[in-house]
Amino acid sequence: MVSDDVRELIGRKRTIEILELLVASGRLNYTEIENEIASSSDTITDALDLLCEHELVERVEEGPKNVKYNATETGQDLHKAIESIEDMLRE
């Protein structure tokens, strides 16, 4: 049975889209993420918090007002697994 953590992560609004964006684009700041993801600030913040909590995304403070996010190796692995599931569903 799938754990509640996995259900929350996969089911949370915009979480997978943000992970996909960070895998494709590399390190981005919050504003750059917000400009690419059509959603409320609260939804984006919640998704980033959840991704960081599960160590799929890393929050990097480069300065007092310069925080960036990037996908971790684990986050990249999860993204690849999701792409594999998509491939299976297309067949």
Side-chain angles (χ1 to χ4, degrees):
M1 183 180 281
V2 176
S3 73
D4 289 341
D5 286 342
V6 172
R7 289 178 196 279
E8 179 181 24
L9 186 65
I10 301 296
R12 177 77 58 98
K13 190 174 185 178
R14 303 293 181 235
T15 304
I16 300 306
E17 289 93 335
I18 292 171
L19 180 60
E20 183 175 42
L21 173 65
L22 292 171
V23 167
S25 302
R27 190 175 283 187
L28 298 174
N29 66 34
Y30 182 87
T31 302
E32 292 169 320
I33 295 168
E34 191 174 41
N35 288 339
E36 294 294 324
I37 303 294
S39 197
S40 72
S41 294
D42 288 343
T43 298
I44 293 170
T45 298
D46 289 347
L48 284 168
D49 288 346
L50 183 63
L51 289 164
C52 288
E53 176 185 328
H54 289 286
E55 299 180 357
L56 300 168
V57 166
E58 178 182 32
R59 184 179 188 271
V60 180
E61 293 186 32
E62 296 182 345
K65 292 186 178 184
N66 189 8
V67 176
K68 297 205 175 178
Y69 296 88
N70 64 286
T72 64
E73 187 174 329
T74 304
Q76 293 174 18
D77 290 344
L78 176 61
H79 182 260
K80 288 176 190 171
I82 291 168
E83 285 182 329
S84 294
I85 292 168
E86 286 182 341
D87 290 344
M88 287 188 304
L89 293 175
R90 286 188 199 124
E91 294 177 356

